[in-house]
Amino acid sequence: MATGSTAMGQSTATPPAKPSATPAVHKPKASAKLVMAVWSPDVQKTLGVSAEDFKTDGLNKLTQVQLTSLEGSAKPDPKRAWLACPVPSASGARVYLTVAGDDSTGAIAGQIRHAVNSVTGVTVVDTAAQADRALHVVIQEQTTAKRTIGFTASYLTGTPCVEDIGGKKTDVELKGTLGTYTDAKGAGLATDLAGMLDQDLQAVKSGAPAR
């Protein structure tokens, strides 16, 4: 009689996978409440807007941060200099004339003033504040054996300007043409200076450098 044996295999059961943890949901933080712009006396001072015009001009639609930024851009930088300079018009120029040096009688200054005033479109004024161009002349007496033979001159043109630094205004002058008149025995000193000024003014009006 035959005998048989049956072998029984053992199997290992795989435990079920644990469900992964549900990722946390990050709720958005509530945005900060916007603070809308309101009128203040500083707005009047900086932007020139009254309380009545604040809404009309639409400034009430800005946030306070935006309004502050706008005011900041309108306020002058105390470290920044602003230069305001006049420009002679096409029809004429106002010239501030000074004459110094060897002119004890004032005769040469009178001749120069008359010649400059005779230039087409030029009006000689008494102060730099009234002018849009300046002409400064220094007279030099030329002598031989202690005898005066004539006069020469150095001249400089300029533009009277106002410099504004943080609200403090100062008169300044931008230098223009520098030249000399060297013919001591000639009689055309005043005429020569007037002609030079005329050329200088034409160059300024056209934007070209004066010669």
Side-chain angles (χ1 to χ4, degrees):
M1 177 183 254
T3 355
S5 62
T6 304
M8 298 185 65
Q10 295 180 352
S11 62
T12 304
T14 303
K18 294 181 179 180
S20 59
T22 303
V25 177
H26 297 284
K27 295 182 179 181
K29 295 181 179 180
S31 57
K33 184 178 181 181
L34 294 178
V35 178
M36 303 309 293
V38 293
W39 182 89
S40 69
D42 193 54
V43 173
Q44 172 83 50
K45 180 180 178 181
T46 307
L47 302 178
V49 178
S50 66
E52 292 76 15
D53 293 334
F54 189 78
K55 184 176 181 180
T56 304
D57 293 342
L59 296 181
N60 63 313
K61 296 180 181 179
L62 301 177
T63 66
Q64 190 61 41
V65 173
Q66 290 172 327
L67 178 62
T68 301
S69 177
L70 181 63
E71 287 185 89
S73 64
K75 289 181 179 178
D77 185 345
K79 297 180 181 179
R80 181 180 298 173
W82 299 90
L83 199 62
C85 302
V87 178
S89 66
S91 59
R94 298 166 298 170
V95 176
Y96 174 53
L97 172 67
T98 66
V99 181
D102 303 324
D103 184 26
S104 58
T105 65
I108 301 176
Q111 294 169 12
I112 296 173
R113 185 181 183 89
H114 177 75
V116 170
N117 239 336
S118 298
V119 175
T120 303
V122 168
T123 301
V124 176
V125 295
D126 297 326
T127 65
Q130 299 172 305
D132 42 40
R133 203 63 175 162
L135 172 61
H136 306 293
V137 182
V138 177
I139 305 298
Q140 298 98 35
E141 182 182 16
Q142 303 299 315
T143 62
T144 298
K146 297 183 180 181
R147 182 175 63 86
T148 299
I149 60 172
F151 295 87
T152 58
S154 299
Y155 58 81
L156 176 66
T157 62
T159 302
C161 303
V162 176
E163 185 180 53
D164 188 334
I165 303 178
K168 182 180 180 181
K169 297 182 179 181
T170 307
D171 292 332
V172 296
E173 187 173 292
L174 298 184
K175 306 307 177 188
T177 305
L178 174 66
T180 58
Y181 173 83
T182 58
D183 188 3
K185 295 183 179 180
L189 187 154
T191 303
D192 183 83
L193 291 175
M196 177 283 308
L197 177 65
D198 189 30
Q199 292 181 6
D200 178 81
L201 289 172
Q202 297 308 320
V204 171
K205 292 175 184 177
S206 65
R211 294 182 178 180

